[in-house]
Amino acid sequence: MTDAALPAAAPVHGARPTRVRHVVLWLTVLAYMITYMDRVVISTTAPLIQKEFGFSVITMGWIFSVFQIGYALFQIPGGWLGDRIGPRRALTGVVVWWSAFTALTTGAWSAGSMMACRFLFGCGEAGAFPNATRSLSRWMLPSERGFAQGITHAGARLGGALTPVLVVWLMIHLGWRGPFLIFAMLGLIWAAFWFYYYRDNPRDHAGTNEAERTMIAEALGAQATSGARMPVPWRQLLANPQLWLISAMYFCYAYSINIFLTWFPKYLNEVRSFDIVQMGFFASLPLMAGVVGDVAGGWISDRLIEHTGRVTLARRAVAVAGFTLAAFAIPVAVWSASPLASVGWFALAVFGLELTVGISWALTLDVGGIFAGSVSAVMNTFGNIGGALAAVITGYILKWSGWDAAMYVLAILSALAGLMYLRINASKLLYTPSEA
């Protein structure tokens, strides 16, 4: 399949287009930050929660895990909702939902009630990424999608990294319930502003001028900006091998990155002999390298589109390079005798993995079109399955074969993901618009 060149968007009568779409983008970045802030707050407050209720470590583990269960189960329903009613209403609704259960967590009186709150919180957050992706599908130009998805995921990573410091400060002054209530209020404020400002169709937004509206319409096509509500063509989407290829690729990515979010600090302590303080610092370095990768991957891909007009080439080149870098750097990190050199190579590996994430979410816009919410939900469902399995499977690998084998699995999965990306065609929709 050839990689079709993208149409160029021309200004209207020399007028300078407004930049409402960029405001929409930064609102979406803020939403991503809030999602991770609300997720991370319970991990930071866990010691005080355990002390007050007398929860065991196993009980706290279940409280943590029920979020992931709800989050995985409602990915596809959450994306479907956005495709059915539009991201303005859908995203407003899910943010209000999860903010409510963030606040209600403070009223829990037992392990069961807290698990119920966390499960329902996860059900709400499941609609965040698919609907945020859907919200950009009618606004961002193809040449802006990579950067847009990269910066949103960088915001998520940054929010997750900064939240513990903020939560500790709030707990000192307000107790463990204070951060939940404050973060819940932040979500409600965001939801109110989103509903006031955002429009599903750029032509319905009073802040856009004709130049911006025409530029978006010419770049995306008439159907993408029509604002019409159409049923999701599930049969056609699920019958397309490309959707399963994309989902399998993202499974490999999510499995790999989840190890750096969960097991990596333990690796540094047990294998590289870092003490607790050193472990916390050096475990954060690969994640900070990942923030740079999030932004860089999308930006490079968009520049390639500008210069070549070939969307498949632009997505494929960056993603394959990122996965190849990770597949190479992880074994080198394992073999490195120096602990500092090992951390440096692992940071390079995470940089490579995160080069791909914005590209992958931009890909759901490329191939999903007006059904990007549903397409991204399927992809992210497989990603969450990969992330959940990574924690469990790694424990068994450590028991049977040790740390080196566990890390080699990440290199193998990265290589497989790169090979799969070579067969992904970003220039062809997963459905036939005339039949959707």
Side-chain angles (χ1 to χ4, degrees), residues 243-260:
L243 178 59
W244 301 108
L245 194 62
I246 292 168
S247 298
M249 173 275 300
Y250 202 68
F251 175 97
C252 295
Y253 158 79
Y255 183 107
S256 301
I257 197 64
N258 189 68
I259 298 304
F260 291 97

Side-chain angles (χ1 to χ4, degrees), residues 189-430:
I189 292 171
W190 182 93
F193 189 77
W194 175 262
F195 189 78
Y196 165 77
Y197 186 83
Y198 182 81
R199 295 294 182 271
D200 292 336
N201 189 341
R203 290 198 170 275
D204 295 334
H205 199 293
T208 59
N209 63 6
E210 187 60 29
E212 184 174 27
R213 292 192 292 268
T214 301
M215 178 175 65
I216 293 172
E218 290 182 351
L220 303 186
Q223 187 187 40
T225 56
S226 67
R229 302 272 191 259
M230 289 182 288
V232 180
W234 281 114
R235 179 174 296 182
Q236 195 171 359
L237 291 176
L238 296 177
N240 194 313
Q242 286 280 305
L243 178 59
W244 301 108
L245 194 62
I246 292 168
S247 298
M249 173 275 300
Y250 202 68
F251 175 97
C252 295
Y253 158 79
Y255 183 107
S256 301
I257 197 64
N258 189 68
I259 298 304
F260 291 97
L261 296 172
T262 53
W263 286 99
F264 189 62
K266 188 173 179 65
Y267 169 84
L268 294 179
N269 179 246
E270 291 189 358
V271 179
R272 298 300 178 176
S273 301
F274 288 124
D275 61 33
I276 298 299
V277 175
Q278 292 172 325
M279 179 187 72
F281 173 75
F282 286 108
S284 70
L285 292 183
L287 298 180
M288 294 307 296
V291 172
V292 178
D294 286 328
V295 178
W299 183 85
I300 295 169
S301 180
D302 288 346
R303 300 291 75 75
L304 286 174
I305 289 178
E306 282 188 353
H307 286 91
T308 68
R310 299 173 63 190
V311 65
T312 297
L313 172 66
R315 304 297 186 226
R316 185 180 291 168
V318 177
V320 171
F323 282 126
T324 301
L325 180 60
F328 170 78
I330 290 171
V332 177
V334 172
W335 300 331
S336 296
S338 166
L340 294 180
S342 177
V343 172
W345 282 106
F346 276 124
L348 189 62
V350 175
F351 171 81
L353 285 172
E354 292 297 285
L355 276 176
T356 74
V357 67
I359 306 302
S360 297
W361 283 83
L363 180 66
T364 65
L365 293 173
D366 299 327
V367 302
I370 61 174
F371 303 113
S374 295
V375 172
S376 63
V378 173
M379 182 188 79
N380 205 28
T381 296
F382 276 78
N384 277 280
I385 293 171
L389 289 177
V392 177
I393 292 174
T394 300
Y396 286 102
I397 295 175
L398 294 180
K399 181 179 178 179
W400 295 333
S401 303
W403 279 105
D404 288 2
M407 292 302 181
Y408 292 149
V409 169
L410 309 188
I412 293 169
L413 290 176
S414 297
L416 287 175
L419 290 174
M420 284 187 276
Y421 231 114
L422 289 172
R423 298 186 60 83
I424 293 174
N425 184 354
S427 64
K428 183 176 176 58
L429 290 172
L430 296 177

Side-chain angles (χ1 to χ4, degrees), residues 25-240:
L25 171 60
W26 288 107
L27 278 174
T28 307
V29 171
L30 184 56
Y32 274 53
M33 291 187 70
I34 293 172
T35 63
Y36 268 71
M37 291 169 70
D38 287 352
R39 291 183 204 183
V40 172
V41 63
I42 195 168
S43 63
T44 309
T45 58
L48 292 185
I49 293 174
Q50 280 187 267
K51 183 178 180 181
E52 178 174 328
F53 291 97
F55 294 154
S56 67
V57 174
I58 293 176
T59 299
M60 283 306 301
W62 276 105
I63 290 172
F64 292 151
S65 67
V66 293
F67 160 80
Q68 197 75 39
I69 294 170
Y71 190 78
L73 287 175
F74 279 80
Q75 282 292 312
I76 293 176
W80 171 84
L81 179 67
D83 285 340
R84 288 295 296 168
I85 69 173
R88 182 183 181 223
R89 289 189 290 168
L91 202 52
T92 299
V94 298
V95 175
V96 169
W97 175 279
W98 91 58
S99 296
F101 283 100
T102 298
L104 288 171
T105 303
T106 65
W109 64 91
S110 64
S113 61
M114 187 163 288
M115 287 181 193
C117 283
R118 299 307 295 174
F119 174 79
L120 293 170
F121 167 75
C123 294
E125 275 217 350
F129 283 17
N131 283 303
T133 298
R134 181 71 175 84
S135 72
L136 298 177
S137 66
R138 287 180 176 166
W139 280 91
M140 304 308 298
L141 309 181
S143 61
E144 297 172 330
R145 288 173 176 172
F147 174 78
Q149 292 293 350
I151 197 68
T152 52
H153 284 82
R157 293 280 184 264
L158 190 60
L162 298 178
T163 296
V165 177
L166 177 59
V167 170
V168 168
W169 184 86
L170 290 172
M171 282 197 302
I172 292 173
H173 295 86
L174 302 173
W176 72 264
R177 290 175 173 83
F180 283 94
L181 296 173
I182 290 173
F183 287 6
M185 184 59 65
L186 179 62
L188 293 174
I189 292 171
W190 182 93
F193 189 77
W194 175 262
F195 189 78
Y196 165 77
Y197 186 83
Y198 182 81
R199 295 294 182 271
D200 292 336
N201 189 341
R203 290 198 170 275
D204 295 334
H205 199 293
T208 59
N209 63 6
E210 187 60 29
E212 184 174 27
R213 292 192 292 268
T214 301
M215 178 175 65
I216 293 172
E218 290 182 351
L220 303 186
Q223 187 187 40
T225 56
S226 67
R229 302 272 191 259
M230 289 182 288
V232 180
W234 281 114
R235 179 174 296 182
Q236 195 171 359
L237 291 176
L238 296 177
N240 194 313

